[in-house]
Amino acid sequence: MNQVGAVGLIAALVFAVYGMITGAAAGKLRSPRMLKSAQRAVLGFFAMTTLAVVSLEYLVLTNNFHSAYVAEYSSRALPVLYKIPVLWAGQQGSLLFWTWLLSIYVAAAVLLNRKKNRQLMPYIIAISMGVGTFFSMVTFSVANPFNELNLASASGVTPYAPPDGNGLNPALQFHSMVAHPPMLYLGYVGMAIPFAFAMSALMTRQLGDNWIRVTRRWVMVPWMFLGIGIVLGGQWAYHVLGWGGYWAWDPVENASLLPWLAGTAFLHSVMIQEKRGMLKVWNMVLVILTFFLSIFGTFLTRSGIISSVHAFAKSDIGPWFSVFLAIIAAFSLTVLFLRLDFLKSENRLDSIASRESGFLFNNWILLAAVLAVLWGTIFPVISKAIENVTVTVGPPFFNKVMIPIGLLLLFLTGAGPMLAWRKTSFQSIKRNFTFPLIFAAVVGGVIFYAGVHRLYTWMSLFLCAFVAASIVAEFYKGARTRMKSSKENFFAALYNLTMRNTRRYGGYVVHFGIVLLFVGFAGQAFRYETQGLMGPGDLLRAKNYLFRCEGISTGQKANYQYETVDLSVTKDGHALTVMHPERRFYMAEQQPISHIALRSNLAQDLYVVTEGTDPNSGKAIIHVIINPLVQWVWIGGMVILLGTILALIPSSIERQMGKLHKDQEEAVAAHHVG
Amino acid sequence: MRRTMSASRLLKIVVLGLALASAAMAAQTPAQIGKDIGNKVICLCGCQTSLNDCPMPHCDEKAAERHLISMDLAEGKAEPVILQDLVNKYGERVLAAPPAHGFNLTAWFLPGVGLLIGLFLAITIVRRWHRPAVQAAATPAVPLDGNLRSAVENEMKKYID
């Protein structure tokens, strides 16, 4: 199967190169035959990367330790559920996985555009196959997952297979880890398609509103996956790393946040281009930046130039990515520069108090956030290069810089949608802002009275109330207007209102999810923790909770040994629950890991972790954290996902417009080809 | 006069509050100081988390750093001195954020400078793009006939949301 996989990789590389060349030629020569050939190359690329992925999974599932990759990242005792993630556990496999996801995206783009966007498609294929060529080349040459283990002796080289593999990093043997990397990769890789659309639109001078309309969806899908990946990564950190937090401003986390922030900026500014024909160059820059940051994040974290808790994902691919990034920047900026004349703004601002200005300031804050995160992430490298001093840029830096930026962004999340397109009158501002401000003032007073005196925490909750009230008011006003004009009841009006403009109201739902995220973030200010050594009968108090150690049990499962501490918990003297934090020792990997015990409700999490046994006393080291409002972070993530899905559903107006565009496209294509 | 009195009373309250807050800060227990320091330095075992958050069991680096902090606290040293002792032993990398001096200042100032430059650009763009409101036409608007008016209203209803 090693050979089959390797053949699949070579064939994928050949298809990618062929697709890139024929795509470009089809665009240049306007040849439908060459376009067909390029489209077939895309499907061939997909088939061959699929073959390589299936081959590698087969090698993993059959414990073929003759494969160097399987021997390194799998073991016989590894449960089947965790054998699937072996595909992306190591550098080589994750790059193959990346290539495969790209092939799926490109194949989907080709199949969904068989009868649409005909003028754009040749270059879309050429560009995306160019990206495919890069990833296939790296996977084939420096990160090949199909290398075999051999023993060199005097009589020659003989195949070798160890009796068992090293196993999967225990930190990766967790349910959200099965989904977290694929979601992130789907986010990163997917940004190649909008980039290809943008480049193709520039190259073919098809810079009307069609490409931007189509591209918006191709940005939203990977943006959604990136968001899911980030939240799942937070869940993984929360459940596995055992420090009671979900975000540590680790370089890998930051790398995923960067394209998400840039993509968010694009999803907002694209509306100005669609509605007013403005910010055309800026939108191009944002599409390029989002894709660039996707690749840059990979370079940053996988080249090994920055240390991270994700140290399991490093290798020597840095120079390849450096060259690729330089090519992306040079190519895209050159094409953009050559087409500047076609990207002139069609309108001007009618008023400073307008939705357009709101979006502009939203973009300003988002780009400032990108700059701050990027700068903090790469600063250790810059400091080392210039000053030869190793510094750490950790949470204290990011919290100081990013909290004010986040609060400004939260304010705009509420204020922006309340401004009208073109011009907002003072009366309108007064009318729209009064209720949210009064509601926020009431909430602000109540929480201050309740003891929230930290400035940032108070401001965060105040702004959450302001934004939530503004969203509720938008839905309410819209439904009331519809009730009057269509004689529907409130709920029917609310539903029809939402479905009539899914994009707008889906966006509001996303904003509401952001509010919930900030509520969860604000809870961190009230985090409480304590630690103690516990043997049978020992007590540990954490605020109004009392923990009693009922016993410590040890045992062994297929791939790990465990030590479980049984803790009965009382709250204000009343029996509450029994918790079982566990310490595991994975035998094949020779690594210990904590398995937390968690009791959650909407108000707070009771988070208990055993950090092993104290060598002096023989007692368990128990760490208790009371984490308020954490569940709102996960709920916020889910609401954002729902809002994004809602915004992706075409509304009735969009369907009509889409049909119109399709008819126009077909007429143009018939004329073009004929 | 009454307003001036209230303002001066408010000022007194603020000053008193600040004095009490500083006294409270000064009265921190060694355990609290140790915890604060644990948030300001990282564990050097490679976990990349703060000393307080290092999840590694029996971590030698964590133990060594904690030992140094405990020794210093026992000697009654203040937080800045303990942090300096940690830097002397491990280098600046032990600090969870770069100290604000020398080249490190750029780490702190650049995001703010970027924010200000962005704000300046956004304001410049808004001002450049701002089109003064067009004066109302001198000629009176032509009234719409009934059919045209109802057609326009029907059309507008479609887009009310």
Side-chain angles (χ1 to χ4, degrees), chain A residues 379-400:
Chain A
F379 187 77
V381 182
I382 293 172
S383 172
K384 182 77 185 165
I386 294 177
E387 293 276 286
N388 199 25
V389 175
T390 308
V391 293
T392 305
V393 181
F397 171 86
F398 287 105
N399 290 341
K400 261 189 194 148

Side-chain angles (χ1 to χ4, degrees), chain A residues 459-589:
Chain A
M459 278 182 73
S460 180
L461 294 172
F462 172 85
L463 288 171
C464 282
F466 169 73
V467 180
S470 73
I471 294 167
V472 170
E474 282 292 313
F475 274 98
Y476 179 75
K477 276 187 292 187
R480 292 279 298 181
T481 310
R482 203 178 162 89
M483 280 166 75
K484 279 180 194 159
S485 64
S486 310
K487 309 286 179 223
E488 292 167 338
N489 69 45
F490 181 77
F491 294 104
L494 197 64
Y495 174 78
N496 289 326
L497 171 84
T498 307
M499 297 318 288
R500 181 151 190 85
N501 197 343
T502 49
R503 186 173 163 188
R504 177 176 172 182
Y505 291 97
Y508 289 155
V509 174
V510 171
H511 284 185
F512 191 70
I514 299 284
V515 167
L516 299 182
L517 280 185
F518 272 83
V519 169
F521 298 159
Q524 284 299 293
F526 307 102
R527 177 178 148 134
Y528 169 90
E529 54 190 298
T530 189
Q531 192 169 313
L533 298 177
M534 296 186 83
D538 286 340
L539 300 171
L540 179 67
R541 180 167 288 283
K543 282 185 151 181
N544 53 341
Y545 294 95
L546 188 66
F547 292 81
R548 185 176 190 278
C549 179
E550 301 295 343
I552 300 174
S553 53
T554 55
Q556 186 169 329
K557 289 273 171 74
N559 57 336
Y560 63 85
Q561 295 164 340
Y562 63 84
E563 182 185 272
T564 307
V565 184
D566 300 320
L567 296 168
S568 59
V569 189
T570 55
K571 185 183 179 188
D572 300 321
H574 303 289
L576 185 70
T577 186
V578 179
M579 299 179 86
H580 309 282
E582 193 171 277
R583 192 80 195 161
R584 291 179 180 177
F585 183 78
Y586 285 81
M587 283 125 24
E589 300 82 3

Side-chain angles (χ1 to χ4, degrees), chain B residues 14-146:
Chain B
V14 169
V15 169
L16 187 67
L18 285 173
L20 284 172
S22 342
M25 292 281 280
Q28 270 191 323
T29 62
Q32 284 169 324
I33 299 171
K35 198 176 168 190
D36 281 352
I37 294 172
N39 283 329
K40 289 177 182 168
V41 296
I42 61 160
C43 178
L44 295 169
C45 68
C47 66
Q48 292 294 311
T49 57
S50 74
L51 189 63
N52 286 348
D53 290 336
C54 171
M56 302 299 168
H58 314 307
C59 173
D60 293 338
E61 295 289 341
K62 182 166 65 178
E65 285 178 51
R66 280 203 193 285
H67 180 67
L68 192 151
I69 295 167
S70 307
M71 297 286 282
D72 280 3
L73 283 171
E75 287 173 28
K77 289 184 180 174
E79 186 182 307
V81 181
I82 301 172
L83 286 171
Q84 189 55 50
D85 281 354
L86 284 161
V87 170
N88 291 343
K89 184 167 182 190
Y90 298 106
E92 278 186 5
R93 72 196 170 112
V94 76
L95 300 174
H101 61 71
F103 180 71
N104 290 338
L105 280 172
T106 57
W108 292 99
F109 286 133
L110 197 92
V113 170
L115 197 71
L116 290 177
I117 292 174
L119 178 65
F120 173 76
L121 284 176
I123 290 172
T124 308
I125 290 168
V126 167
R127 289 181 68 169
R128 246 181 76 183
W129 281 0
H130 179 42
R131 175 174 61 185
V134 181
Q135 299 246 316
T139 49
V142 180
L144 297 178
D145 66 58

Side-chain angles (χ1 to χ4, degrees), chain A residues 281-525:
Chain A
V281 178
W282 181 239
N283 282 325
M284 280 290 175
V285 169
L286 285 179
V287 173
I288 294 167
L289 182 69
T290 306
F291 177 61
F292 184 88
L293 287 173
S294 296
I295 303 294
F296 184 74
T298 317
F299 161 71
L300 204 66
T301 52
R302 292 179 179 268
S303 61
I305 61 165
I306 288 178
S307 52
S308 152
V309 289
H310 297 70
F312 43 80
K314 285 184 203 165
S315 82
D316 310 323
I317 56 171
W320 286 77
F321 274 80
S322 307
V323 172
F324 187 52
L325 281 168
I327 292 171
I328 293 170
F331 171 74
S332 54
L333 294 178
T334 305
V335 177
L336 177 63
F337 180 74
L338 291 173
R339 294 290 185 268
L340 280 179
D341 286 346
F342 295 84
L343 295 166
K344 293 239 160 66
S345 196
E346 291 166 24
N347 281 300
R348 302 184 79 78
L349 277 181
D350 290 316
S351 166
I352 291 167
S354 61
R355 181 80 61 94
E356 293 91 315
S357 298
F359 280 136
L360 207 61
F361 284 103
N362 149 297
N363 268 234
W364 157 58
I365 299 286
L366 283 165
L367 265 286
V370 168
L371 175 76
V373 175
L374 182 62
W375 181 241
T377 308
I378 62 171
F379 187 77
V381 182
I382 293 172
S383 172
K384 182 77 185 165
I386 294 177
E387 293 276 286
N388 199 25
V389 175
T390 308
V391 293
T392 305
V393 181
F397 171 86
F398 287 105
N399 290 341
K400 261 189 194 148
V401 173
M402 291 302 291
I403 289 175
I405 292 176
L407 292 177
L408 266 173
L409 202 57
L410 186 58
F411 168 72
L412 283 176
T413 306
M418 289 194 286
L419 299 171
W421 287 102
R422 304 190 73 158
K423 187 175 183 178
T424 315
S425 66
F426 179 69
Q427 280 75 16
S428 168
I429 290 176
K430 213 167 84 178
R431 198 173 50 242
N432 290 338
F433 279 72
T434 303
F435 166 66
L437 278 176
I438 290 173
F439 181 73
V442 171
V443 170
V446 169
I447 57 172
F448 187 82
Y449 181 74
V452 180
H453 297 159
R454 290 188 198 188
L455 181 65
Y456 282 153
T457 313
W458 184 87
M459 278 182 73
S460 180
L461 294 172
F462 172 85
L463 288 171
C464 282
F466 169 73
V467 180
S470 73
I471 294 167
V472 170
E474 282 292 313
F475 274 98
Y476 179 75
K477 276 187 292 187
R480 292 279 298 181
T481 310
R482 203 178 162 89
M483 280 166 75
K484 279 180 194 159
S485 64
S486 310
K487 309 286 179 223
E488 292 167 338
N489 69 45
F490 181 77
F491 294 104
L494 197 64
Y495 174 78
N496 289 326
L497 171 84
T498 307
M499 297 318 288
R500 181 151 190 85
N501 197 343
T502 49
R503 186 173 163 188
R504 177 176 172 182
Y505 291 97
Y508 289 155
V509 174
V510 171
H511 284 185
F512 191 70
I514 299 284
V515 167
L516 299 182
L517 280 185
F518 272 83
V519 169
F521 298 159
Q524 284 299 293

Side-chain angles (χ1 to χ4, degrees), chain A residues 124-140:
Chain A
I124 289 172
I125 293 174
I127 304 289
S128 50
M129 285 289 94
V131 178
T133 300
F134 167 74
F135 277 101
S136 304
M137 254 163 65
V138 174
T139 313
F140 179 69

Side-chain angles (χ1 to χ4, degrees), chain A residues 209-226:
Chain A
D209 61 348
N210 187 40
W211 86 268
I212 199 97
R213 198 174 45 79
V214 178
T215 305
R216 187 184 68 86
R217 279 182 195 285
W218 283 104
V219 173
M220 274 187 88
V221 172
W223 180 86
M224 177 183 75
F225 284 126
L226 208 46

